[in-house]
Amino acid sequence: MAEGQEVPNKQVVLKRYVTGFPTEDDMEVVAGIARLAVPPGTPGLVLKNLYLSCDPYMRGRMTKHDPPSYVADFVPGEVLENFGVSKVIASGHPDFEVGDLVWGVTGWEEYSFAPKPESFFKINHPDLPLSYYTGILGMTGLTAWAAFFDVGKPKKGDYVFVSAASGAVGQLAKLTGCYVVGSVGSDEKVNLLKTKFGFDDAFNYKKEPDLDAALKRYFPEGIDIYFENVGGQMLDAVLLNMRKHGRIPVVGMISQYNLKKPEGLSNAIMILAKQLLVEGFLVFDHFVKYRKFEEEMVGFIKEGKISCVEDIADGLEKAPAALIGLFSGKNIGKQLVVVARE
Amino acid sequence: MAEGQEVPNKQVVLKRYVTGFPTEDDMEVVAGIARLAVPPGTPGLVLKNLYLSCDPYMRGRMTKHDPPSYVADFVPGEVLENFGVSKVIASGHPDFEVGDLVWGVTGWEEYSFAPKPESFFKINHPDLPLSYYTGILGMTGLTAWAAFFDVGKPKKGDYVFVSAASGAVGQLAKLTGCYVVGSVGSDEKVNLLKTKFGFDDAFNYKKEPDLDAALKRYFPEGIDIYFENVGGQMLDAVLLNMRKHGRIPVVGMISQYNLKKPEGLSNAIMILAKQLLVEGFLVFDHFVKYRKFEEEMVGFIKEGKISCVEDIADGLEKAPAALIGLFSGKNIGKQLVVVARE
């Protein structure tokens, strides 16, 4: 493919700002055009996008924020973006060559122009499935690893509870010698946690009318670390069941993203009574640790100590449905979209 | 007074467990008897109580907790207890002599028997008002100092907001070079903060129908450290106004102690969006730092860098009203009860 040629470029654009639960119709797949050249004198990259990650935090970007949120809002009529795996097909930057495999924030489209190449990581282990760099070896894996170890400060024997637990955290906790229980939204996922991921126990929160009672059953001694992905009623029930000096890394609150009015949290006083540490964690400040994380996690994967389950949507046309599916828990394991395999 | 003699001993006892707002009638001042001798072969102290501290956390102890709370519930029919300043009048412990001035947890009565002398600190600076050891040099001062510096991690130029702000924290923040605003419940206290305590600004929260708007007015750049004493709606408004990586040491939530159902916290998602650290702080684990704290705070007081305002109720009979007054904000400055002056 000659550099500089213009090619069709399928794109996923936001149609309108969203309130409440997003639908596929809030997005549109359109036929764009990409020019496969770096503008002369600029240091950017032209990327062919291979795998795109679907992440719950994207919901926040579909709403207009004033004042601005921690990450820029999407713009109606413009292409969505998120972390993904791409191949460099034209480079204006000395550190990147045509053919390099990279991961970073790219467009929900077939080809993207990346004006800031330094925000991309080269993929050091292309012998592993490239798609892993959308999840377990990408943004969500780094989030799990850094938030669990830096904020959670796990010790052997700690009681660890993970909500929306089909990611890496529970497995990292098991490797650390913790007692680990996860909550998920289907019996199939419960089975995944108990058989493939090695959790000590797991439950389907949709079958638990009383979350406090469920947690008391699974953690009669209480919880040392709650890895928070969901917020709302689950957090409220967890607060009642934390142990003294427990830690709560907060990396997501997916149950709240589509509510017009958040659920009120009633048990905040437990933060005081139990001397809890609750800390919000966003990955953006932690990319400096990426190479250390990558080597450690690659080691775990190659030794078979960490398993990764992926839910792969095939083609950009499926991207809107894949993203929406996160909020009903349709996906089993990491949800991603394959745009092209190489 | 001969050791071993029996003397009348006025006492404040809890009449019944409390629900909702406590009243004076939930307590009773009764005529007891004290025997001024240490039982032979035991290491206890007989204390003459001089000053007793009134602290909001005592409200929690007036309710029956199952499972137990972080501190033992009071028992109906038994004497209340809390931090106070006492004089040793009989000692079975080699480290304590008759005449020593100490502070620690003692009974709300004229004379107490302390079976565990090692839980008391000797008062190293009796040249300062002894009553200071119920507050600025006692439990609440240590709480302010350790929670502000250890959890708040203040830096020069930080924007600091303190609720129920008539204690030491705001002054410590000013000494650290922070910009400090406090909220209190009367114009008289606003005046105290601005004139005597050197706050940059202060407001009467009872005159602010929209706390979010008030905080935006006082902190157009946002808040780096919120020193949390009150909880509820104030915390909810503060969460909207925190800056990225802000810290919230939680040492009290006085607005919630008398509610049958806590106010729901709506803005917990800000903990994530702003990467906040929220940490509950109870002083019990921090007494190991007391001597360092005492010397530093005594230095500040003697140099005139920290002022202390006390609200002194005269006599045990006034103790129930003094305690209840905390919850309507009747007190100006540290509320304490003088039982005897020497």
Side-chain angles (χ1 to χ4, degrees):
Chain A
M1 175 184 307
E3 195 174 300
Q5 97 186 72
E6 286 195 338
V7 296
N9 188 22
K10 217 178 292 172
Q11 302 176 308
V12 182
V13 301
L14 183 69
K15 266 163 81 176
R16 63 181 82 90
Y17 285 124
V18 175
T19 37
F21 209 94
T23 65
E24 286 185 55
D25 191 49
D26 293 321
M27 293 165 268
E28 192 170 19
V29 181
V30 302
I33 284 174
R35 197 175 136 72
L36 305 184
V38 178
T42 66
L45 305 176
V46 178
L47 301 174
K48 181 182 184 194
N49 296 318
L50 305 180
Y51 298 94
L52 299 173
S53 176
C54 297
D55 295 302
Y57 91 100
M58 295 173 73
R59 170 61 187 84
R61 304 183 67 178
M62 297 178 146
T63 297
K64 179 112 186 99
H65 286 83
D66 181 27
S69 182
Y70 62 89
V71 58
D73 300 331
F74 293 135
V75 178
E78 293 189 10
V79 178
L80 299 185
E81 61 167 33
N82 192 26
F83 296 91
V85 172
S86 310
K87 187 160 78 174
V88 175
I89 59 173
S91 172
H93 193 287
D95 293 349
F96 293 87
E97 288 178 19
V98 171
D100 278 353
L101 293 162
V102 298
W103 77 271
V105 174
T106 191
W108 275 33
E109 57 193 345
E110 293 176 279
Y111 299 95
S112 295
F113 179 68
K116 292 185 182 166
E118 58 278 9
S119 70
F120 284 81
F121 289 102
K122 280 202 237 189
I123 285 175
N124 283 347
H125 295 273
D127 49 321
L128 288 170
L130 288 180
S131 56
Y132 282 15
Y133 283 85
T134 65
I136 193 127
L137 292 173
M139 182 276 280
T140 53
L142 177 61
T143 300
W145 180 83
F148 181 64
F149 290 109
D150 291 1
V151 180
K153 294 189 171 48
K155 298 180 302 297
K156 195 177 167 196
D158 274 353
Y159 294 97
V160 174
F161 177 54
V162 188
S163 55
S166 305
V169 171
Q171 298 181 76
L172 290 171
K174 282 308 300 172
L175 288 175
T176 311
C178 302
Y179 181 88
V180 185
V181 178
S183 72
V184 283
S186 76
D187 293 347
E188 190 178 355
K189 293 181 195 177
V190 167
N191 190 48
L192 177 74
L193 265 48
K194 286 162 72 165
T195 57
K196 194 169 170 82
F197 289 173
F199 280 53
D200 294 288
D201 219 328
F203 66 89
N204 178 349
Y205 73 89
K206 291 177 181 169
K207 288 186 167 173
E208 297 289 350
D210 182 339
L211 291 172
D212 177 34
L215 290 170
K216 285 189 167 50
R217 214 162 62 234
Y218 287 101
F219 292 100
E221 308 290 326
I223 299 166
D224 293 296
I225 302 175
Y226 170 48
F227 198 91
E228 167 67 305
N229 285 310
V230 308
Q233 292 173 22
M234 183 64 91
L235 176 56
D236 230 2
V238 166
L239 285 170
L240 295 173
N241 288 281
M242 291 298 290
R243 300 176 93 186
K244 188 176 160 183
H245 290 300
R247 288 83 67 198
I248 305 184
V250 178
V251 307
M253 290 192 170
I254 192 173
S255 73
Q256 305 299 295
Y257 297 166
N258 300 315
L259 303 180
K260 284 172 194 161
K261 190 174 172 314
E263 292 175 294
L265 202 62
S266 294
N267 300 319
I269 201 163
M270 290 295 138
I271 296 171
L272 173 62
K274 294 174 175 178
Q275 303 172 71
L276 306 180
L277 182 146
V278 184
E279 188 166 351
F281 183 96
L282 297 173
V283 77
F284 307 104
D285 293 335
H286 299 269
F287 285 120
V288 64
K289 303 166 194 165
Y290 178 69
R291 290 300 178 198
K292 180 172 187 298
F293 156 76
E294 184 188 23
E295 291 312 310
E296 193 170 313
M297 190 61 92
V298 163
F300 289 148
I301 294 169
K302 290 191 172 173
E303 292 160 26
K305 290 179 175 167
I306 295 258
S307 296
C308 177
V309 172
E310 297 180 319
D311 199 326
I312 303 183
D314 211 329
L316 265 179
E317 297 80 358
K318 305 270 180 63
L323 179 60
I324 300 307
L326 295 176
F327 300 104
S328 57
K330 217 170 114 290
N331 58 308
I332 294 184
K334 172 66 196 172
Q335 179 67 59
L336 59 101
V337 177
V338 54
V339 184
R341 291 188 191 272
E342 59 180 349
Chain B
M1 179 185 304
E3 197 176 299
Q5 100 187 69
E6 288 194 337
V7 297
N9 187 24
K10 214 177 296 173
Q11 301 176 309
V12 182
V13 303
L14 183 69
K15 266 163 81 177
R16 65 182 79 90
Y17 286 122
V18 175
T19 37
F21 208 95
T23 65
E24 286 185 55
D25 191 49
D26 294 320
M27 293 164 269
E28 191 170 21
V29 181
V30 302
I33 283 174
R35 200 176 132 72
L36 304 185
V38 178
T42 66
L45 306 176
V46 178
L47 300 174
K48 182 183 183 192
N49 296 317
L50 305 181
Y51 299 94
L52 300 173
S53 176
C54 297
D55 295 303
Y57 91 99
M58 295 173 73
R59 169 62 186 85
R61 304 183 67 179
M62 297 178 147
T63 297
K64 180 115 185 97
H65 287 85
D66 182 25
S69 183
Y70 62 90
V71 57
D73 301 331
F74 293 134
V75 178
E78 293 190 8
V79 178
L80 300 184
E81 61 168 33
N82 193 27
F83 296 90
V85 172
S86 309
K87 188 159 77 174
V88 175
I89 59 172
S91 172
H93 194 286
D95 294 348
F96 294 86
E97 290 177 19
V98 171
D100 279 352
L101 293 163
V102 299
W103 77 272
V105 174
T106 191
W108 274 33
E109 57 193 345
E110 292 174 282
Y111 300 95
S112 295
F113 178 66
K116 292 183 182 165
E118 58 278 10
S119 69
F120 284 81
F121 289 101
K122 280 202 237 189
I123 285 175
N124 283 347
H125 295 273
D127 50 319
L128 288 170
L130 288 178
S131 57
Y132 282 15
Y133 283 85
T134 65
I136 193 128
L137 291 173
M139 182 277 278
T140 52
L142 177 61
T143 301
W145 179 84
F148 181 65
F149 289 109
D150 292 1
V151 180
K153 294 190 171 48
K155 297 180 303 296
K156 196 178 165 195
D158 275 353
Y159 294 96
V160 174
F161 177 53
V162 187
S163 54
S166 305
V169 172
Q171 299 181 75
L172 290 171
K174 281 308 301 173
L175 287 175
T176 312
C178 302
Y179 181 87
V180 185
V181 178
S183 72
V184 283
S186 75
D187 292 348
E188 190 178 353
K189 293 182 195 177
V190 167
N191 190 47
L192 178 73
L193 265 48
K194 286 162 71 164
T195 57
K196 195 170 170 81
F197 289 174
F199 279 53
D200 294 288
D201 220 329
F203 65 89
N204 178 350
Y205 73 89
K206 292 178 180 168
K207 288 187 167 172
E208 297 289 350
D210 182 341
L211 291 172
D212 177 33
L215 291 170
K216 285 190 167 47
R217 214 162 61 233
Y218 287 100
F219 292 100
E221 308 289 325
I223 298 166
D224 292 296
I225 302 175
Y226 171 47
F227 198 91
E228 167 66 305
N229 285 310
V230 308
Q233 293 173 20
M234 183 64 90
L235 176 56
D236 230 2
V238 166
L239 285 170
L240 295 173
N241 289 281
M242 291 298 290
R243 300 176 92 185
K244 188 176 159 183
H245 291 298
R247 287 83 68 199
I248 305 185
V250 178
V251 307
M253 289 193 171
I254 191 173
S255 74
Q256 305 299 294
Y257 297 166
N258 300 316
L259 303 180
K260 284 172 193 162
K261 190 172 171 315
E263 293 176 295
L265 203 63
S266 294
N267 300 319
I269 202 163
M270 290 295 137
I271 296 171
L272 173 61
K274 295 175 174 178
Q275 302 172 74
L276 305 181
L277 182 146
V278 184
E279 187 166 352
F281 183 98
L282 297 174
V283 77
F284 308 104
D285 294 334
H286 299 269
F287 286 120
V288 63
K289 303 168 193 162
Y290 178 69
R291 289 301 177 197
K292 180 172 187 294
F293 156 75
E294 183 188 24
E295 292 312 310
E296 193 170 313
M297 190 62 92
V298 164
F300 289 148
I301 294 168
K302 290 190 173 175
E303 292 160 25
K305 290 179 175 167
I306 294 259
S307 296
C308 177
V309 173
E310 298 181 318
D311 199 324
I312 303 183
D314 211 331
L316 264 179
E317 297 80 359
K318 304 271 180 62
L323 180 59
I324 300 308
L326 295 176
F327 300 103
S328 57
K330 216 172 115 288
N331 58 306
I332 295 184
K334 171 67 195 171
Q335 179 67 58
L336 60 102
V337 176
V338 54
V339 184
R341 291 190 190 270
E342 58 179 350

mmCIF file of all heavy atoms in Angstrom, chain B residues 7-11 30-34:
data_model
loop_
_atom_site.group_PDB
_atom_site.id
_atom_site.type_symbol
_atom_site.label_atom_id
_atom_site.label_comp_id
_atom_site.label_asym_id
_atom_site.label_seq_id
_atom_site.Cartn_x
_atom_site.Cartn_y
_atom_site.Cartn_z
ATOM 1 N N VAL B 7 -15.059 8.480 100.636
ATOM 2 C CA VAL B 7 -15.559 9.853 100.489
ATOM 3 C C VAL B 7 -16.748 9.853 99.537
ATOM 4 O O VAL B 7 -16.887 8.946 98.715
ATOM 5 C CB VAL B 7 -14.459 10.795 99.937
ATOM 6 C CG1 VAL B 7 -13.281 10.905 100.900
ATOM 7 C CG2 VAL B 7 -13.997 10.324 98.557
ATOM 8 N N PRO B 8 -17.589 10.865 99.637
ATOM 9 C CA PRO B 8 -18.668 11.001 98.657
ATOM 10 C C PRO B 8 -18.066 11.200 97.258
ATOM 11 O O PRO B 8 -17.014 11.834 97.127
ATOM 12 C CB PRO B 8 -19.415 12.264 99.103
ATOM 13 C CG PRO B 8 -18.942 12.539 100.490
ATOM 14 C CD PRO B 8 -17.577 11.956 100.617
ATOM 15 N N ASN B 9 -18.701 10.652 96.250
ATOM 16 C CA ASN B 9 -18.175 10.700 94.894
ATOM 17 C C ASN B 9 -19.315 10.933 93.905
ATOM 18 O O ASN B 9 -20.011 10.016 93.500
ATOM 19 C CB ASN B 9 -17.456 9.364 94.572
ATOM 20 C CG ASN B 9 -16.733 9.394 93.239
ATOM 21 O OD1 ASN B 9 -16.370 10.478 92.759
ATOM 22 N ND2 ASN B 9 -16.525 8.224 92.645
ATOM 23 N N LYS B 10 -19.482 12.200 93.551
ATOM 24 C CA LYS B 10 -20.524 12.544 92.577
ATOM 25 C C LYS B 10 -20.178 11.879 91.237
ATOM 26 O O LYS B 10 -19.018 11.871 90.827
ATOM 27 C CB LYS B 10 -20.564 14.068 92.420
ATOM 28 C CG LYS B 10 -21.926 14.636 92.171
ATOM 29 C CD LYS B 10 -21.873 16.159 92.091
ATOM 30 C CE LYS B 10 -21.440 16.808 93.419
ATOM 31 N NZ LYS B 10 -21.238 18.281 93.263
ATOM 32 N N GLN B 11 -21.175 11.343 90.551
ATOM 33 C CA GLN B 11 -20.936 10.597 89.309
ATOM 34 C C GLN B 11 -22.000 10.917 88.263
ATOM 35 O O GLN B 11 -23.155 11.160 88.615
ATOM 36 C CB GLN B 11 -20.992 9.083 89.591
ATOM 37 C CG GLN B 11 -19.975 8.610 90.619
ATOM 38 C CD GLN B 11 -20.116 7.135 90.936
ATOM 39 O OE1 GLN B 11 -21.214 6.677 91.250
ATOM 40 N NE2 GLN B 11 -19.010 6.415 90.846
ATOM 41 N N VAL B 30 -25.467 11.278 90.110
ATOM 42 C CA VAL B 30 -25.826 10.517 91.317
ATOM 43 C C VAL B 30 -24.733 10.659 92.383
ATOM 44 O O VAL B 30 -23.600 11.038 92.090
ATOM 45 C CB VAL B 30 -26.025 9.007 90.997
ATOM 46 C CG1 VAL B 30 -27.100 8.824 89.950
ATOM 47 C CG2 VAL B 30 -24.719 8.360 90.565
ATOM 48 N N ALA B 31 -25.102 10.348 93.621
ATOM 49 C CA ALA B 31 -24.157 10.430 94.737
ATOM 50 C C ALA B 31 -23.583 9.039 94.993
ATOM 51 O O ALA B 31 -24.285 8.149 95.481
ATOM 52 C CB ALA B 31 -24.865 10.951 95.981
ATOM 53 N N GLY B 32 -22.335 8.849 94.638
ATOM 54 C CA GLY B 32 -21.670 7.574 94.893
ATOM 55 C C GLY B 32 -20.691 7.694 96.031
ATOM 56 O O GLY B 32 -20.651 8.714 96.743
ATOM 57 N N ILE B 33 -19.917 6.650 96.194
ATOM 58 C CA ILE B 33 -18.885 6.647 97.236
ATOM 59 C C ILE B 33 -17.601 6.138 96.607
ATOM 60 O O ILE B 33 -17.620 5.201 95.801
ATOM 61 C CB ILE B 33 -19.305 5.748 98.412
ATOM 62 C CG1 ILE B 33 -20.351 6.487 99.272
ATOM 63 C CG2 ILE B 33 -18.105 5.343 99.270
ATOM 64 C CD1 ILE B 33 -20.951 5.649 100.368
ATOM 65 N N ALA B 34 -16.482 6.777 96.915
ATOM 66 C CA ALA B 34 -15.188 6.299 96.419
ATOM 67 C C ALA B 34 -14.322 5.903 97.591
ATOM 68 O O ALA B 34 -14.330 6.562 98.637
ATOM 69 C CB ALA B 34 -14.498 7.403 95.610
#
